[in-house]
Amino acid sequence: MKKILIYLLSSLLIFQSCSEDDPVKGSDDEYFPLQTGFYQVYDVVEKVYENGPVADVFVYQLKTEVVDSFANQEGGYTFVIHRSKRTTVNDPWQFQEAWSARLNSYQAISTEGNISFVRIGFPATINKEWNGNAMNSLEEDSYLIESVGKPYELTTNISFDDALVINQQDELNALKRDQREEVYARNVGLIYKKSDVLNYCDDASCFGQQIIKDGVEYVQVLNEYGQN
């Protein structure tokens, strides 16, 4: 009887230790939540270079909202996401376009227009790589998980305990700059997106000086989220 009691007490202590020191994590698809009525509002700064280093600058808010869902051929559901814009918080939202997103056992996929991208590869583990263009006909684009399960704070003073940082590209040379990153928080989804895709002047007079010829610099930061 004494041995049984000691065993039970030891088991209880081990269980409590594991519960306190190693909290149980949810499923990786929680980084890409899809539920009708869920919305996100982002602050966006977009700089567009069309012919030289002087940019057209656009500052606005972007709202994404899951408005509907339907069964798909994979045995799961595809969710319809409406994207709207406004210049200031006092302006009405103006609908822009509808995207869609879905999850399966291997990946989180967003379809933007008619082009599908693999946003997250599962399992979401450090140094995991996958082809972000695996679902379309574009050239291979290797994504890499740089960090997972760590805190992340935004410039909008919103902080998260568990974030997933994905390096989509990090290329810089005399001809171009292609640096893209996305950050997802558990049960919130995309919280930060930065995309700098620039071509530099390649004439003999300016080659190697990283003078912008054309391209886009884009930053999207979560400001608000919730459930309608």
Side-chain angles (χ1 to χ4, degrees):
M1 184 65 182
K2 185 181 292 186
K3 290 183 178 179
I4 295 175
L5 182 60
I6 293 173
Y7 173 79
L8 290 174
L9 288 172
S10 299
S11 300
L12 180 60
L13 289 172
I14 292 171
F15 175 78
Q16 289 178 335
S17 177
C18 291
S19 299
E20 294 172 0
D21 298 336
D22 302 301
V24 176
K25 296 293 185 181
S27 172
D28 286 340
D29 59 19
E30 291 178 353
Y31 289 114
F32 203 80
L34 294 172
Q35 182 177 353
T36 302
F38 184 70
Y39 72 91
Q40 299 148 314
V41 177
Y42 301 92
D43 295 333
V44 177
V45 178
E46 186 174 5
K47 299 179 181 180
V48 180
Y49 302 85
E50 294 186 341
N51 189 22
V54 179
D56 292 321
V57 181
F58 303 93
V59 179
Y60 57 91
Q61 285 196 317
L62 170 69
K63 181 180 181 180
T64 65
E65 183 176 3
V66 181
V67 298
D68 200 2
S69 66
F70 57 88
N72 57 42
Q73 295 179 346
E74 296 178 336
Y77 286 88
T78 295
F79 292 80
V80 180
I81 301 171
H82 281 185
R83 295 168 60 85
S84 304
K85 289 170 63 176
R86 65 183 180 187
T87 303
T88 72
V89 295
N90 297 317
D91 296 324
W93 290 107
Q94 300 292 326
F95 173 76
Q96 300 295 305
E97 57 185 336
W99 287 7
S100 66
R102 66 188 191 275
L103 291 160
N104 60 39
S105 300
Y106 309 101
Q107 55 210 357
I109 303 161
S110 68
T111 300
E112 305 168 11
N114 294 318
I115 303 176
S116 295
F117 299 92
V118 181
R119 291 304 181 192
I120 306 175
F122 300 138
T125 55
I126 193 74
N127 293 326
K128 181 178 179 63
E129 290 187 68
W130 67 93
N131 177 15
N133 288 333
M135 305 293 290
N136 61 54
S137 59
L138 300 174
E139 67 179 26
E140 183 174 346
D141 197 9
S142 181
Y143 292 3
L144 172 70
I145 294 180
E146 289 189 335
S147 175
V148 61
K150 294 184 178 180
Y152 197 94
E153 185 171 358
L154 300 172
T155 55
T156 48
N157 295 321
I158 306 175
S159 59
F160 303 90
D161 294 332
D162 186 342
L164 175 69
V165 180
I166 300 173
N167 181 345
Q168 296 179 330
Q169 187 60 261
D170 188 10
E171 181 178 2
L172 178 63
N173 55 48
L175 294 176
K176 69 176 183 178
R177 175 182 172 189
D178 186 354
Q179 296 176 319
R180 289 172 278 130
E181 179 182 84
E182 288 187 345
V183 182
Y184 295 82
R186 191 178 292 278
N187 297 316
V188 180
L190 181 69
I191 61 172
Y192 177 80
K193 176 183 177 74
K194 181 177 176 65
S195 176
D196 293 343
V197 182
L198 304 170
N199 294 310
Y200 293 133
C201 178
D202 55 2
D203 293 339
S205 60
C206 56
F207 181 79
Q209 299 180 36
Q210 296 183 336
I211 297 175
I212 297 173
K213 181 171 65 174
D214 55 51
V216 177
E217 294 178 314
Y218 180 93
V219 177
Q220 176 179 325
V221 184
L222 186 70
N223 181 286
E224 175 190 345
Y225 66 95
Q227 182 77 31
N228 286 328

